[in-house]
Amino acid sequence: MTVTVNTEARTDDFTDLYDLGAPIADTKAPDVDVTKRWDTRRFEAKLVNPANRRKLKVIIVGTGLAGASAAATLGEAGYQVTSFCYQDSPRRAHSIAAQGGINAAKNYRNDGDSIYRLFYDTVKGGDFRSRESNVYRLAQVSVEIIDQCVAQGVPFAREYGGLLDNRSFGGVQVSRTFYARGQTGQQLLLGAYQALERQVAAGTVVNHTRHEMLEVIVADGRARGVIVRDMVTGEIETHFADAVVLATGGYGNVFFLSTNAMGCNVTANWRAHRKGAYFGNPCYTQIHPTCIPVSGDYQSKLTLMSESLRNDGRIWVPKKAGDDRPASQIPEEDRDYYLERQYPSFGNLVPRDIASRAAKYVCDEGRGVGPGGLGVYLDFADAITRLGRDTVEAKYGNLFDMYAQITGENPYETPMRIYPAVHYTMGGLWVDYDLQSSITGLFVTGEANFSDHGANRLGASALMQGLADGYFVLPYTLANYLADGPFDAIDETHPAAVEAKKQVTDRIEKLLSVNGTRTVDSFHRELGNIMWEYCGMARSEGGLLKAIELIRELRTEFWRNVKVTGVNEDLNQTLERAGRVADFIDLGELMCIDALHRRESCGGHFRVESQTEDGEALRHDDEFAYVAAWEFGGDGGKPILHKEALIYQNVEMKQRSYK
């Protein structure tokens, strides 16, 4: 059934689209000074003695930094861990794609950094829409992460005296980002992978590759297992445990074109959401300013150029619209280094949301460069003159090589061309201070949860959160939960397990039986176009209402006319993608409803109706200083909005300024 939506300006609260539920709160963070909360929580948390750990089972879905670090740590502690990933190796997790670095408040540069400053920068960078207690803990734990990774042999860059080197990232005025050339994510993942494989060899972790989670089993009010599909044979398997951890990454591929790996999806999170896990702030998505521009309609993904390049590269466009001269022929007086001009305190290192919108504005003015005018220059000429080519190559060489291979242009001789692209999702499943979702026994870590970044993530904070959650937070909070276990054993005959398996098989049979005329990718691309157009860098009430209408029509068309070839009992990538796209369609509608109800601009969520005179995001703290936690309202029902009030006791809420 197609539901019509009024696209005229509305003055109501859109109650035809969602219901308002009871407010919620995080009850796990101790009521003490923020600097003492994590130490207090760790001391108050119940422990599990080593002999009892061997009796307790934990399922971890995902083997990126958050999942691999959690599995390795819990396995080392003695728990029975079962790990799942849809890739053919944990080393292929999307964490490997992170390039620029990982933040930590070590203050090696003696330039004014501290745990509190990292906390403050992160809260401010998220436009005051994150939870203070979680962010302060992240800043505290950051200093331990670096020591852990160095001990594992991660080859961080070092300065001349042998100490670890640092560089700056957007939204800060200190150097706190540790890096391994332009492949930091890869090196950190290899460290976590080696720790994971050590536990596999020790027998505490069993890792299942090429398995995709398709349902969570909630028995007697607790998460007790998962239903997975063997992606090679098609076998539907049931696995049980005392607790389940989702470390399944973000949902940026709802936009079709993004910097995410092609396999990144929302299915694990969405299946949990349908079983009762609240989805926090789904509309908070990050547009990264430093991406290679789209080159044609044939593309299926985009390539990110690390934000670290903004340390030494200068961003500019021609001053006059329509100036199509080659960059080398445009003299300095005809160039607009617009970030340096508009934001003199931070220059090219403003946060990602601000840099992205600024690039969009100059391109909308007709001053963009390259095919279609959708690009700005990232120029290293000054850096090469000042530092020498060898120094620039030592810092960014692999990134320059990647750019040259993709574009056929030499960035040492001509400026790179970049344009914003979907990159990261700050939204995710709602969790409390213990990283537990609204489903008892279901924990969520890394990008899959909503907890640390508010409305905008600062660069180099994703790797920090993933490792903080896996190495240092979850082992304490999960132990507190498991101290009450082991819970009563259940098997495949339990009604919850039977129901979950039937839901998976029925869905697969339905996808295979439609036998329509349109490919899965055609639906995904159409959804992506809708999301980018109406729920991308700029959002408006009319556009979001239009998007909801279009998405509902697309859902009807999908289940009527999608073509899924092959069978379940075999390797079937079309079937895999079909299930993921179906979930993306449902998520896309919720994202638009979330963006619609939030009549303010904050971070990556930019409502055109709410901006300052100079085009900056304008928050409305009196109305929207809360986490939007959405409850699934049932098939055909409306989502239910629960609000968690954000109370700031240590940081003053004020309009951001990076000028």
Side-chain angles (χ1 to χ4, degrees):
M1 179 179 70
T2 301
V3 180
T4 58
V5 177
N6 179 13
T7 57
E8 297 178 0
R10 302 267 295 267
T11 57
D12 64 339
D13 289 329
F14 309 105
T15 52
D16 56 325
L17 297 175
Y18 71 90
D19 291 325
L20 186 62
I24 60 172
D26 169 31
T27 59
K28 299 290 180 61
D31 187 18
V32 297
D33 185 86
V34 71
T35 63
K36 300 177 181 177
R37 280 178 198 163
W38 180 229
D39 289 338
T40 302
R41 182 64 185 132
R42 285 195 294 184
F43 178 73
E44 292 178 346
K46 291 176 284 188
L47 302 177
V48 181
N49 80 58
N52 287 342
R53 293 174 200 161
R54 295 192 290 270
K55 306 172 187 176
L56 295 163
K57 298 180 180 179
V58 180
I59 285 173
I60 299 179
V61 184
T63 57
L65 285 183
S69 59
T73 306
L74 294 171
E76 175 72 26
Y79 297 98
Q80 296 182 51
V81 179
T82 305
S83 173
F84 297 92
C85 67
Y86 65 75
Q87 299 93 343
D88 58 1
S89 167
R91 289 174 297 173
R92 293 187 183 274
H94 188 57
S95 300
I96 202 170
Q99 299 163 333
I102 176 172
N103 288 330
K106 285 286 197 181
N107 196 30
Y108 282 173
R109 289 287 186 90
N110 199 28
D111 58 358
D113 202 9
S114 64
I115 289 173
Y116 188 87
R117 187 174 294 279
L118 174 53
F119 159 66
Y120 174 81
D121 286 345
T122 304
V123 171
K124 178 185 175 183
D127 217 352
F128 303 93
R129 289 295 177 263
S130 53
R131 190 191 285 153
E132 270 195 346
S133 54
N134 289 65
V135 178
Y136 193 88
R137 177 176 63 190
L138 178 65
Q140 274 182 291
V141 170
S142 71
V143 298
E144 300 176 58
I145 295 171
I146 302 303
D147 296 339
Q148 170 96 359
C149 294
V150 169
Q152 288 176 335
V154 173
F156 286 120
R158 295 179 181 268
E159 47 90 42
Y160 76 98
L163 295 177
L164 300 185
D165 198 12
N166 294 118
R167 55 192 179 198
S168 295
F169 259 58
V172 303
Q173 292 178 303
V174 298
S175 293
R176 66 163 65 104
T177 303
F178 296 78
Y179 65 98
R181 210 178 183 195
Q183 50 188 238
T184 313
Q186 178 179 1
Q187 298 301 331
L188 290 171
L189 185 62
L190 288 173
Y193 168 73
Q194 290 171 170
L196 170 64
E197 287 301 306
R198 181 174 181 269
Q199 297 309 312
V200 171
T204 62
V205 177
V206 177
N207 188 41
H208 297 272
T209 60
R210 304 293 286 153
H211 282 68
E212 183 169 23
M213 176 194 146
L214 297 179
E215 196 59 74
V216 60
I217 299 169
V218 181
D220 305 316
R222 297 179 186 271
R224 294 300 309 276
V226 295
I227 308 292
V228 299
R229 178 177 180 271
D230 184 322
M231 296 164 65
V232 177
T233 68
E235 182 180 356
I236 308 301
E237 303 174 3
T238 307
H239 295 264
F240 299 99
D242 295 291
V244 176
V245 178
L246 299 185
T248 49
Y251 48 88
N253 277 348
V254 68
F255 291 88
F256 186 70
L257 285 179
S258 82
T259 66
N260 290 184
M262 292 292 290
C264 292
N265 63 85
V266 77
T267 290
N269 268 13
W270 196 253
R271 298 292 102 195
H273 173 60
R274 289 175 60 90
K275 282 292 177 71
Y278 295 169
F279 211 115
N281 300 333
C283 80
Y284 286 167
T285 54
Q286 180 166 84
I287 313 297
H288 197 295
T290 316
C291 179
I292 297 178
V294 176
S295 57
D297 293 339
Y298 58 85
Q299 275 187 264
S300 55
K301 80 173 299 294
L302 298 172
T303 303
L304 174 71
M305 300 306 296
S306 170
E307 181 177 317
S308 63
L309 295 169
R310 291 199 276 151
N311 271 281
D312 291 304
R314 300 180 70 193
I315 296 172
W316 64 276
V317 292
K319 287 184 177 179
K320 294 183 180 179
D323 188 342
D324 57 0
R325 290 176 291 176
S328 60
Q329 296 180 18
I330 300 178
E332 283 290 313
E333 60 267 21
D334 291 339
R335 300 181 180 188
D336 180 13
Y337 296 91
Y338 57 90
L339 291 179
E340 298 174 27
R341 171 175 56 81
Q342 293 175 279
Y343 306 99
S345 292
F346 285 76
N348 296 300
L349 288 174
V350 292
R352 291 174 176 178
D353 59 318
I354 291 175
S356 294
R357 282 195 296 274
K360 180 181 186 297
Y361 291 156
V362 295
C363 291
D364 289 347
E365 293 169 357
R367 297 194 286 146
V369 301
L374 293 178
V376 299
Y377 286 128
L378 179 60
D379 195 338
F380 282 84
D382 285 358
I384 291 172
T385 300
R386 183 179 75 256
L387 303 172
R389 172 168 171 160
D390 289 347
T391 299
V392 172
E393 190 168 353
K395 295 171 71 173
Y396 310 113
N398 60 311
L399 299 173
F400 278 50
D401 291 345
M402 182 172 68
Y403 182 88
Q405 291 173 15
I406 292 172
T407 65
E409 301 171 4
N410 185 344
Y412 293 104
E413 298 175 357
T414 60
M416 292 182 181
R417 289 178 294 106
I418 57 171
Y419 193 71
V422 174
H423 177 57
Y424 188 90
T425 53
M426 286 73 67
L429 292 186
W430 182 90
V431 292
D432 60 20
Y433 192 62
D434 282 1
L435 304 183
Q436 185 172 215
S437 73
S438 51
I439 298 177
T440 302
L442 180 68
F443 293 77
V444 191
T445 62
E447 190 179 356
N449 75 35
F450 89 101
S451 66
D452 290 4
H453 306 299
N456 175 64
R457 177 176 68 80
L458 291 182
S461 288
L463 304 182
M464 176 174 60
Q465 185 202 354
L467 292 181
D469 287 355
Y471 281 138
F472 299 108
V473 178
L474 190 68
Y476 287 93
T477 61
L478 187 62
N480 177 73
Y481 174 77
L482 291 174
D484 294 329
F487 304 106
D488 293 340
I490 64 173
D491 58 24
E492 294 190 26
T493 64
H494 191 286
V498 172
E499 178 193 14
K501 189 169 185 178
K502 185 176 187 301
Q503 288 171 334
V504 169
T505 55
D506 287 352
R507 183 177 171 84
I508 289 173
E509 290 173 5
K510 185 176 181 180
L511 286 167
L512 290 168
S513 66
V514 175
N515 197 30
T517 61
R518 283 188 60 179
T519 65
V520 173
D521 282 356
S522 73
F523 284 101
H524 195 180
R525 187 181 292 274
E526 184 174 343
L527 173 67
N529 288 338
I530 295 169
M531 296 300 295
W532 179 252
E533 180 69 24
Y534 300 114
C535 198
M537 273 197 284
R539 302 152 182 196
S540 68
E541 178 181 300
L544 290 164
L545 287 167
K546 180 66 173 178
I548 293 168
E549 184 176 38
L550 293 172
I551 291 170
R552 289 174 171 176
E553 292 173 354
L554 186 66
R555 179 190 295 111
T556 300
E557 170 72 3
F558 178 88
W559 288 108
R560 184 187 66 82
N561 198 27
V562 70
K563 178 74 171 180
V564 181
T565 56
V567 297
N568 174 60
E569 295 74 24
D570 201 351
L571 176 66
N572 190 338
Q573 293 182 315
T574 302
L575 176 61
E576 296 164 17
R577 292 199 300 271
R580 296 168 188 170
V581 171
D583 289 333
F584 275 140
I585 292 173
D586 291 343
L587 168 68
E589 180 178 347
L590 182 62
M591 289 173 64
C592 291
I593 292 173
D594 186 37
L596 183 65
H597 103 278
R598 191 173 285 275
R599 286 182 162 114
E600 68 164 351
S601 294
C602 53
H605 169 61
F606 190 77
R607 284 288 295 268
V608 297
E609 303 93 338
S610 184
Q611 56 182 303
T612 64
E613 291 183 358
D614 51 356
E616 302 290 353
L618 180 61
R619 296 194 325 270
H620 299 293
D621 296 334
D622 55 332
E623 298 179 77
F624 297 105
Y626 59 77
V627 176
W630 294 91
E631 178 184 357
F632 181 63
D635 290 316
K638 293 184 288 186
I640 302 163
L641 171 62
H642 300 273
K643 299 179 181 179
E644 178 200 339
L646 291 171
I647 300 170
Y648 288 91
Q649 300 172 323
N650 301 275
V651 175
E652 179 187 357
M653 297 178 70
K654 55 187 178 182
Q655 293 296 327
R656 286 191 307 171
S657 175
Y658 291 93
K659 294 183 179 298

